[in-house]
Amino acid sequence: MIWGMTESTFTLVHVLLSLIGIGSGVVVMFGLLTGKQLDAWTVLFLVTTVATSVTGFGFPIDHLLPSHKVGIISLVVLAVAIGARYAFHLRGAWRRIYVVCAAVALYLNVFVGVVQAFQKVPALSVMAPGRPNRHL
């Protein structure tokens, strides 16, 4: 049991949070590119992306993995983004800092998602970069 859930349920929650974070992050990035603030989408993106990183530490491990290092970096970047957005209200340089941090947080979420997909999804695992082609 992880946080009162079976491991499969916990994994499903983690993956759903990640997908919602990625989807809402794409919407937020589109808003940033078009000059629209999209407050509700921003909250959804930040909350689900933080939750994705936090729940990533809930899986049983025996040592620190690269995904945990990325999760730590993501949480730091998200803390700066949240501060820039809500404490400093995007004033002055904080606007650029927020944009960069939000983009980096989205990138890291997508990056870990792609890596995990290649590791966990059998159809993708066969095509993973660096794997020898077994069909030749």
Side-chain angles (χ1 to χ4, degrees):
M1 296 289 278
I2 304 171
W3 296 354
M5 296 178 248
T6 65
E7 189 168 347
S8 61
T9 301
F10 185 78
T11 301
L12 178 63
V13 168
H14 175 74
V15 170
L16 288 175
L17 286 168
S18 181
L19 293 174
I20 293 167
I22 290 168
S24 59
V26 168
V27 172
V28 168
M29 288 300 121
F30 179 76
L32 292 172
L33 291 171
T34 59
K36 297 176 183 161
Q37 199 151 321
L38 307 175
D39 292 334
W41 284 102
T42 299
V43 170
L44 182 63
F45 164 62
L46 293 172
V47 167
T48 55
T49 305
V50 167
T52 298
S53 292
V54 169
T55 58
F57 292 100
F59 292 97
I61 60 161
D62 58 359
H63 65 282
L64 188 67
L65 299 171
S67 57
H68 296 113
K69 294 174 185 177
V70 173
I72 292 166
I73 294 167
S74 181
L75 286 170
V76 170
V77 167
L78 285 161
V80 174
I82 290 167
R85 176 77 174 83
Y86 297 105
F88 298 105
H89 306 286
L90 305 176
R91 286 190 212 113
W94 288 106
R95 179 177 300 280
R96 281 184 230 92
I97 291 168
Y98 167 74
V99 170
V100 169
C101 288
V104 169
L106 175 61
Y107 171 81
L108 292 173
N109 201 4
V110 170
F111 176 77
V112 170
V114 170
V115 170
Q116 291 290 318
F118 274 104
Q119 289 178 344
K120 309 289 185 199
V121 177
L124 292 176
S125 183
V126 174
M127 299 183 293
R131 282 184 55 108
N133 189 342
R134 296 173 194 244
H135 298 291
L136 294 177

